[in-house]
Amino acid sequence: MTANDILFNAVVLSSTLILVGLSLGFLILKIQGKAAD
């Protein structure tokens, strides 16, 4: 495993985590919005 591979994996992992976090946050907001009605 070269430093390039590690760097690439880190970028992929972080962007995936950001996407998951955003979708989770959006889902929570939608659920809270429905609960407020």
Short mmCIF file of all heavy atoms in Angstrom, two decimals:
data_model
loop_
_atom_site.label_atom_id
_atom_site.label_comp_id
_atom_site.label_asym_id
_atom_site.label_seq_id
_atom_site.Cartn_x
_atom_site.Cartn_y
_atom_site.Cartn_z
N MET A 1 0.85 -1.20 0.00
CA MET A 1 0.00 0.00 0.00
C MET A 1 0.88 1.25 0.00
O MET A 1 1.63 1.49 0.95
CB MET A 1 -0.90 0.00 1.25
CG MET A 1 -2.36 0.25 0.89
SD MET A 1 -3.45 -0.15 2.25
CE MET A 1 -4.26 1.43 2.43
N THR A 2 0.77 2.05 -1.02
CA THR A 2 1.59 3.27 -1.10
C THR A 2 0.87 4.44 -0.42
O THR A 2 -0.31 4.36 -0.09
CB THR A 2 1.85 3.63 -2.57
OG1 THR A 2 0.58 3.83 -3.22
CG2 THR A 2 2.58 2.51 -3.29
N ALA A 3 1.61 5.53 -0.25
CA ALA A 3 1.03 6.72 0.38
C ALA A 3 -0.12 7.25 -0.47
O ALA A 3 -1.09 7.79 0.04
CB ALA A 3 2.10 7.79 0.55
N ASN A 4 0.00 7.07 -1.80
CA ASN A 4 -1.05 7.53 -2.71
C ASN A 4 -2.34 6.78 -2.46
O ASN A 4 -3.42 7.37 -2.45
CB ASN A 4 -0.60 7.29 -4.16
CG ASN A 4 -0.45 8.61 -4.93
OD1 ASN A 4 -0.68 9.67 -4.37
ND2 ASN A 4 -0.09 8.52 -6.18
N ASP A 5 -2.24 5.46 -2.27
CA ASP A 5 -3.42 4.64 -2.00
C ASP A 5 -4.10 5.08 -0.71
O ASP A 5 -5.31 5.20 -0.65
CB ASP A 5 -3.02 3.16 -1.87
CG ASP A 5 -2.69 2.56 -3.23
OD1 ASP A 5 -3.13 3.13 -4.24
OD2 ASP A 5 -2.00 1.54 -3.26
N ILE A 6 -3.29 5.33 0.32
CA ILE A 6 -3.83 5.75 1.62
C ILE A 6 -4.55 7.09 1.48
O ILE A 6 -5.66 7.27 1.99
CB ILE A 6 -2.69 5.84 2.67
CG1 ILE A 6 -2.10 4.44 2.91
CG2 ILE A 6 -3.21 6.45 3.98
CD1 ILE A 6 -0.80 4.47 3.68
N LEU A 7 -3.93 8.01 0.74
CA LEU A 7 -4.51 9.33 0.54
C LEU A 7 -5.83 9.22 -0.21
O LEU A 7 -6.83 9.82 0.17
CB LEU A 7 -3.53 10.21 -0.26
CG LEU A 7 -3.82 11.71 -0.23
CD1 LEU A 7 -3.52 12.27 1.15
CD2 LEU A 7 -2.97 12.42 -1.27
N PHE A 8 -5.83 8.40 -1.28
CA PHE A 8 -7.05 8.21 -2.07
C PHE A 8 -8.16 7.61 -1.22
O PHE A 8 -9.30 8.07 -1.26
CB PHE A 8 -6.74 7.30 -3.27
CG PHE A 8 -7.94 7.05 -4.14
CD1 PHE A 8 -8.44 8.06 -4.94
CD2 PHE A 8 -8.56 5.81 -4.15
CE1 PHE A 8 -9.55 7.84 -5.75
CE2 PHE A 8 -9.67 5.58 -4.94
CZ PHE A 8 -10.15 6.59 -5.75
N ASN A 9 -7.82 6.59 -0.43
CA ASN A 9 -8.80 5.95 0.45
C ASN A 9 -9.35 6.97 1.46
O ASN A 9 -10.55 6.97 1.75
CB ASN A 9 -8.16 4.78 1.21
CG ASN A 9 -8.04 3.55 0.32
OD1 ASN A 9 -8.73 3.43 -0.68
ND2 ASN A 9 -7.16 2.65 0.69
N ALA A 10 -8.50 7.82 1.99
CA ALA A 10 -8.93 8.82 2.97
C ALA A 10 -9.92 9.79 2.33
O ALA A 10 -10.92 10.15 2.94
CB ALA A 10 -7.72 9.56 3.52
N VAL A 11 -9.64 10.20 1.09
CA VAL A 11 -10.53 11.14 0.39
C VAL A 11 -11.88 10.48 0.12
O VAL A 11 -12.93 11.08 0.37
CB VAL A 11 -9.88 11.60 -0.94
CG1 VAL A 11 -10.89 12.34 -1.81
CG2 VAL A 11 -8.67 12.50 -0.66
N VAL A 12 -11.86 9.24 -0.35
CA VAL A 12 -13.10 8.52 -0.64
C VAL A 12 -13.91 8.33 0.64
O VAL A 12 -15.12 8.56 0.67
CB VAL A 12 -12.79 7.16 -1.30
CG1 VAL A 12 -14.05 6.29 -1.36
CG2 VAL A 12 -12.21 7.36 -2.69
N LEU A 13 -13.22 7.93 1.71
CA LEU A 13 -13.89 7.68 2.98
C LEU A 13 -14.52 8.96 3.54
O LEU A 13 -15.68 8.96 3.95
CB LEU A 13 -12.87 7.12 3.98
CG LEU A 13 -13.48 6.41 5.19
CD1 LEU A 13 -14.06 5.06 4.78
CD2 LEU A 13 -12.43 6.21 6.27
N SER A 14 -13.77 10.05 3.52
CA SER A 14 -14.28 11.31 4.08
C SER A 14 -15.47 11.84 3.27
O SER A 14 -16.45 12.28 3.84
CB SER A 14 -13.17 12.36 4.16
OG SER A 14 -12.57 12.53 2.90
N SER A 15 -15.38 11.76 1.93
CA SER A 15 -16.49 12.25 1.11
C SER A 15 -17.72 11.38 1.31
O SER A 15 -18.84 11.88 1.33
CB SER A 15 -16.09 12.32 -0.36
OG SER A 15 -15.41 11.16 -0.75
N THR A 16 -17.52 10.08 1.47
CA THR A 16 -18.64 9.17 1.72
C THR A 16 -19.29 9.50 3.06
O THR A 16 -20.52 9.57 3.16
CB THR A 16 -18.17 7.71 1.72
OG1 THR A 16 -17.52 7.43 0.47
CG2 THR A 16 -19.32 6.76 1.90
N LEU A 17 -18.45 9.74 4.07
CA LEU A 17 -18.98 10.07 5.40
C LEU A 17 -19.76 11.38 5.35
O LEU A 17 -20.81 11.50 5.98
CB LEU A 17 -17.81 10.20 6.40
CG LEU A 17 -17.28 8.88 6.94
CD1 LEU A 17 -16.05 9.12 7.80
CD2 LEU A 17 -18.34 8.15 7.75
N ILE A 18 -19.25 12.36 4.60
CA ILE A 18 -19.93 13.66 4.48
C ILE A 18 -21.30 13.47 3.82
O ILE A 18 -22.30 14.01 4.28
CB ILE A 18 -19.06 14.65 3.69
CG1 ILE A 18 -17.86 15.07 4.53
CG2 ILE A 18 -19.87 15.88 3.27
CD1 ILE A 18 -16.78 15.79 3.72
N LEU A 19 -21.33 12.66 2.75
CA LEU A 19 -22.59 12.41 2.05
C LEU A 19 -23.59 11.72 2.96
O LEU A 19 -24.76 12.10 3.01
CB LEU A 19 -22.34 11.55 0.80
CG LEU A 19 -21.84 12.32 -0.42
CD1 LEU A 19 -21.47 11.35 -1.53
CD2 LEU A 19 -22.88 13.31 -0.91
N VAL A 20 -23.13 10.72 3.69
CA VAL A 20 -24.00 9.98 4.62
C VAL A 20 -24.52 10.93 5.71
O VAL A 20 -25.69 10.91 6.05
CB VAL A 20 -23.25 8.79 5.23
CG1 VAL A 20 -24.04 8.19 6.41
CG2 VAL A 20 -23.00 7.72 4.17
N GLY A 21 -23.62 11.76 6.24
CA GLY A 21 -24.02 12.70 7.28
C GLY A 21 -25.06 13.69 6.80
O GLY A 21 -26.03 13.97 7.49
N LEU A 22 -24.87 14.19 5.57
CA LEU A 22 -25.83 15.14 5.01
C LEU A 22 -27.20 14.50 4.80
O LEU A 22 -28.22 15.09 5.15
CB LEU A 22 -25.30 15.68 3.66
CG LEU A 22 -24.25 16.79 3.76
CD1 LEU A 22 -23.72 17.13 2.37
CD2 LEU A 22 -24.84 18.03 4.41
N SER A 23 -27.20 13.29 4.24
CA SER A 23 -28.48 12.62 4.00
C SER A 23 -29.18 12.28 5.32
O SER A 23 -30.40 12.39 5.43
CB SER A 23 -28.28 11.37 3.15
OG SER A 23 -27.24 10.58 3.68
N LEU A 24 -28.39 11.89 6.32
CA LEU A 24 -28.97 11.58 7.63
C LEU A 24 -29.58 12.85 8.24
O LEU A 24 -30.69 12.83 8.77
CB LEU A 24 -27.90 11.03 8.57
CG LEU A 24 -27.76 9.52 8.59
CD1 LEU A 24 -26.59 9.11 9.48
CD2 LEU A 24 -29.04 8.86 9.09
N GLY A 25 -28.85 13.96 8.17
CA GLY A 25 -29.34 15.23 8.70
C GLY A 25 -30.62 15.66 8.01
O GLY A 25 -31.56 16.13 8.64
N PHE A 26 -30.65 15.49 6.68
CA PHE A 26 -31.83 15.85 5.90
C PHE A 26 -33.03 15.00 6.31
O PHE A 26 -34.14 15.50 6.47
CB PHE A 26 -31.53 15.66 4.41
CG PHE A 26 -32.63 16.16 3.51
CD1 PHE A 26 -32.89 17.52 3.42
CD2 PHE A 26 -33.38 15.28 2.75
CE1 PHE A 26 -33.90 17.99 2.59
CE2 PHE A 26 -34.39 15.73 1.92
CZ PHE A 26 -34.65 17.10 1.83
N LEU A 27 -32.77 13.69 6.51
CA LEU A 27 -33.82 12.76 6.92
C LEU A 27 -34.39 13.16 8.28
O LEU A 27 -35.60 13.21 8.48
CB LEU A 27 -33.24 11.35 6.99
CG LEU A 27 -34.23 10.21 6.83
CD1 LEU A 27 -34.73 10.14 5.38
CD2 LEU A 27 -33.56 8.90 7.20
N ILE A 28 -33.50 13.49 9.22
CA ILE A 28 -33.92 13.89 10.57
C ILE A 28 -34.76 15.16 10.50
O ILE A 28 -35.80 15.28 11.16
CB ILE A 28 -32.69 14.08 11.48
CG1 ILE A 28 -32.04 12.70 11.76
CG2 ILE A 28 -33.07 14.78 12.79
CD1 ILE A 28 -30.68 12.81 12.39
N LEU A 29 -34.33 16.12 9.66
CA LEU A 29 -35.09 17.36 9.51
C LEU A 29 -36.49 17.08 8.97
O LEU A 29 -37.46 17.66 9.43
CB LEU A 29 -34.35 18.31 8.56
CG LEU A 29 -33.22 19.13 9.21
CD1 LEU A 29 -32.50 19.94 8.13
CD2 LEU A 29 -33.77 20.04 10.28
N LYS A 30 -36.59 16.18 7.99
CA LYS A 30 -37.89 15.84 7.41
C LYS A 30 -38.79 15.20 8.46
O LYS A 30 -39.97 15.53 8.55
CB LYS A 30 -37.69 14.88 6.22
CG LYS A 30 -37.48 15.61 4.90
CD LYS A 30 -37.36 14.64 3.75
CE LYS A 30 -38.74 14.19 3.29
NZ LYS A 30 -38.65 13.39 2.04
N ILE A 31 -38.23 14.29 9.25
CA ILE A 31 -39.01 13.60 10.29
C ILE A 31 -39.48 14.62 11.34
O ILE A 31 -40.64 14.61 11.76
CB ILE A 31 -38.16 12.48 10.93
CG1 ILE A 31 -37.95 11.36 9.93
CG2 ILE A 31 -38.84 11.95 12.19
CD1 ILE A 31 -36.89 10.36 10.35
N GLN A 32 -38.59 15.51 11.74
CA GLN A 32 -38.96 16.53 12.73
C GLN A 32 -40.05 17.44 12.17
O GLN A 32 -40.95 17.86 12.90
CB GLN A 32 -37.71 17.35 13.12
CG GLN A 32 -36.84 16.61 14.13
CD GLN A 32 -35.64 17.44 14.55
OE1 GLN A 32 -35.30 18.43 13.89
NE2 GLN A 32 -34.99 17.05 15.61
N GLY A 33 -39.94 17.78 10.89
CA GLY A 33 -40.95 18.64 10.25
C GLY A 33 -42.30 17.98 10.24
O GLY A 33 -43.33 18.61 10.49
N LYS A 34 -42.34 16.66 9.98
CA LYS A 34 -43.60 15.94 9.98
C LYS A 34 -44.18 15.86 11.40
O LYS A 34 -45.37 15.97 11.59
CB LYS A 34 -43.39 14.52 9.44
CG LYS A 34 -43.33 14.48 7.93
CD LYS A 34 -43.11 13.06 7.41
CE LYS A 34 -42.95 13.05 5.90
NZ LYS A 34 -42.51 11.74 5.41
N ALA A 35 -43.31 15.68 12.39
CA ALA A 35 -43.75 15.55 13.77
C ALA A 35 -44.35 16.87 14.27
O ALA A 35 -45.24 16.89 15.11
CB ALA A 35 -42.58 15.13 14.66
N ALA A 36 -43.86 18.00 13.73
CA ALA A 36 -44.33 19.31 14.18
C ALA A 36 -45.74 19.60 13.67
O ALA A 36 -46.47 20.38 14.26
CB ALA A 36 -43.37 20.40 13.69
N ASP A 37 -46.10 18.96 12.58
CA ASP A 37 -47.44 19.22 12.03
C ASP A 37 -48.55 18.76 12.96
O ASP A 37 -48.52 17.62 13.40
CB ASP A 37 -47.61 18.49 10.68
CG ASP A 37 -46.80 19.25 9.60
OD1 ASP A 37 -46.53 20.43 9.83
OD2 ASP A 37 -46.48 18.64 8.57
#
